[in-house]
Amino acid sequence: MSLYLCNAKAKHAINIERNESMKNQYIITRELMKTWAKEYHLHGAANVIAFILRCMIGAMGIAGLILSIKLHMGWAFASIYSLFAITAIFKLFFARFFIWSKRYKLYSTTFGVSEWVRTIEFLDDEIVCTEHTSVSKFKYSNIEKIKEMNNVVMIFMNNNIAIRLYKDAFVEGTWEECKKKINDMLK
């Protein structure tokens, strides 16, 4: 009977240990990274200000182009305004596709593979992000904001880093348990 109790206690101890750690795991592919380029996340005052400035420069460029054509101001003014408008529109809508493509090439070259596993573990004292052979550690106190959109969860850190999770990619625990753990750690 005592052997059974020891085994029961050992199983219970294992279950408690598993509940303390939450793990989110998914495979990163070129196609997945392409979907990331379609998402647009503004976080932090600097990013919001840059977005607003690009919108203003784009609007001024378009307005200046229209005025320079309408008022027959010459090709020099039209070219300058066109350059402003094109640059702002590119930075607002298309630059992130090039950035994610470059980032994928950099990672795949560095890791030497075309697909790799990203694992995010929520331990008691830190968050550990393992990407192929690279390991990064974050403190819970660095979390600024958590943003949920359908199946995607973005955890924004105060050092301008975001950790991406997928609610259905938890291999240990669930997103709801993980969210509770994060909130408890932030108190």
Side-chain angles (χ1 to χ4, degrees), residues 1-19:
M1 186 166 195
S2 64
L3 182 62
Y4 174 75
L5 288 174
C6 288
N7 286 339
K9 286 181 184 175
K11 286 180 184 175
H12 183 66
I14 290 170
N15 286 338
I16 289 172
E17 189 178 314
R18 291 181 114 206
N19 287 338

Side-chain angles (χ1 to χ4, degrees), residues 69-93:
I69 292 171
K70 196 137 184 108
L71 299 176
H72 305 289
M73 295 173 77
W75 65 269
F77 286 109
S79 299
I80 291 170
Y81 289 125
S82 297
L83 185 64
F84 282 145
I86 290 169
T87 302
I89 290 169
F90 175 78
K91 290 293 282 179
L92 283 170
F93 300 109

Side-chain angles (χ1 to χ4, degrees), residues 30 33-34 36-38 40 54 90-107:
R30 178 185 292 273
M33 281 190 128
K34 283 180 185 178
W36 294 354
K38 295 175 186 172
Y40 201 76
R54 287 181 185 128
F90 175 78
K91 290 293 282 179
L92 283 170
F93 300 109
F94 303 111
R96 60 182 181 252
F97 292 100
F98 292 102
I99 290 169
W100 280 110
S101 178
K102 269 180 136 177
R103 201 171 282 177
Y104 173 81
K105 287 177 187 172
L106 174 71
Y107 287 147

Side-chain angles (χ1 to χ4, degrees), residues 158-170:
N158 61 8
N159 50 1
N160 210 19
I161 292 176
I163 300 172
R164 180 186 309 270
L165 307 173
Y166 291 96
K167 293 179 184 178
D168 63 356
F170 276 89

